[in-house]
Amino acid sequence: MVDHVIVTSPSARREPARPASPSWFIAKVNPVTRIIGALLLCIPMFVSLDVVSASVALGLEVALLWIGGVNPIRICRSTWPVWIAAVGGFISVLLYGRTSGEILLTAGWIVVSEGSVYLACATFLRVLAIAIPGVVLALGLDPTDLADGLVQILHLSPRFVYGGLAGMRMFTLLQDDWRALGLSRRSRGLGDGNAIQRAFSQAFGLLVLSIRRATKLATAMEARGFGGEGPRSAARVSRLHPIDAVFCAICFVIPFIALGVAVATGNWHFSFQGA
């Protein structure tokens, strides 16, 4: 009796949809398009440091994300480190920023002026306008889908991309390895000494374990042909769709409108120029 193995071509496979983003719109966008869209959103905002352009861009981003299924409360919960960074930037620029206009407060090295208050507000809004869409676009992004897109769409080196993917997958095991090393050392009576010395010793053990695992992983990948020069087939085909073009157009229009409003109102300020 002969067993037959039925093989389906990658183009004919239909896998169930996975939750790739909290937004129904972003979930339909190719991972490579997400990266390109984030660059289109962020790079133009680096050249502007004013309240108008940053507030317009931030308002448009929050409104469009809300339409796409991510409400402002969810945005704030998912981007709380960004808010902490924005507040830190606000305080540092407020206290130690460039002095201009009327002096409001002086205390030693601290000089608060009208210009520093304006630059602090602009910095706060600018950090939010640049970082929030990047964080939201990265939520739910599957590394395997991104690697497939980088190889098939951008034609990057499979050796580099899939090697990085394998390393990222292994990186998630470090926490489990650290816990296992700690438990094994305590079972042998080696975990009751100085905490700092124990941490360094355990870190060295983790380094040795990681090198051994990386060597085995590299050997296994090479045995499966990942280091070869011949053409490779793809288990999952990564394609671009019309929604990707719509997404890139939206990401291009948002900073264009924000900078246009700032220029039209006379509030645009080049970020690499003095106040």
Side-chain angles (χ1 to χ4, degrees), residues 18-39:
R18 294 170 295 175
S21 173
S23 169
W24 59 268
F25 179 79
I26 299 177
K28 298 179 180 179
V29 177
N30 190 283
V32 174
T33 309
R34 289 203 210 181
I35 304 299
I36 297 175
L39 294 177

Side-chain angles (χ1 to χ4, degrees), residues 10-246:
S11 59
R13 294 176 183 173
R14 295 293 182 268
E15 297 184 0
R18 294 170 295 175
S21 173
S23 169
W24 59 268
F25 179 79
I26 299 177
K28 298 179 180 179
V29 177
N30 190 283
V32 174
T33 309
R34 289 203 210 181
I35 304 299
I36 297 175
L39 294 177
L40 292 175
L41 273 172
C42 298
I43 291 179
M45 298 304 300
F46 280 111
V47 303
S48 176
L49 183 59
D50 60 86
V51 173
V52 175
S53 62
S55 58
V56 170
L58 181 61
L60 290 174
E61 291 162 0
V62 172
L64 291 175
L65 287 174
W66 199 351
I67 295 174
V70 187
N71 60 61
I73 298 178
R74 174 68 182 276
I75 295 175
C76 293
R77 286 205 310 263
S78 302
T79 60
W80 61 267
V82 174
W83 291 87
I84 295 177
V87 172
F90 174 85
I91 295 175
S92 61
V93 175
L94 177 67
L95 300 181
Y96 307 107
R98 183 183 294 272
T99 303
S100 62
E102 183 181 352
I103 303 298
L104 304 178
L105 176 64
T106 302
W109 290 83
I110 299 175
V111 179
V112 180
S113 63
E114 292 181 346
S116 63
V117 172
Y118 178 83
L119 288 178
C121 295
T123 302
F124 176 80
L125 294 172
R126 183 192 187 205
V127 171
L128 296 180
I130 292 176
I132 283 181
V135 173
V136 174
L137 290 176
L139 293 176
L141 189 63
D142 185 66
T144 304
D145 292 338
L146 177 59
D148 291 336
L150 293 176
V151 172
Q152 299 176 37
I153 297 176
L154 298 184
H155 302 289
L156 298 183
S157 171
R159 179 182 299 181
F160 171 77
V161 173
Y162 289 118
L165 174 63
M168 184 178 298
R169 294 297 190 187
M170 293 296 103
F171 186 78
T172 58
L173 300 177
L174 289 180
Q175 184 177 1
D176 296 334
D177 292 339
W178 181 267
R179 186 183 301 108
L181 284 173
L183 294 176
S184 64
R185 290 175 61 85
R186 289 184 64 86
S187 66
R188 295 193 296 269
L190 302 176
D192 299 328
N194 184 273
I196 298 178
Q197 182 179 0
R198 182 174 68 249
F200 276 103
S201 177
Q202 190 169 326
F204 179 77
L206 182 63
L207 176 62
V208 174
L209 180 62
S210 300
I211 293 175
R212 290 177 178 175
R213 176 173 289 155
T215 303
K216 294 179 181 178
L217 177 63
T219 304
M221 293 183 67
E222 186 175 359
R224 288 168 172 80
F226 280 94
E229 299 295 337
R232 298 187 55 86
S233 60
R236 291 182 295 184
V237 179
S238 181
R239 296 188 179 92
L240 297 178
H241 301 89
I243 194 172
D244 295 293
V246 174

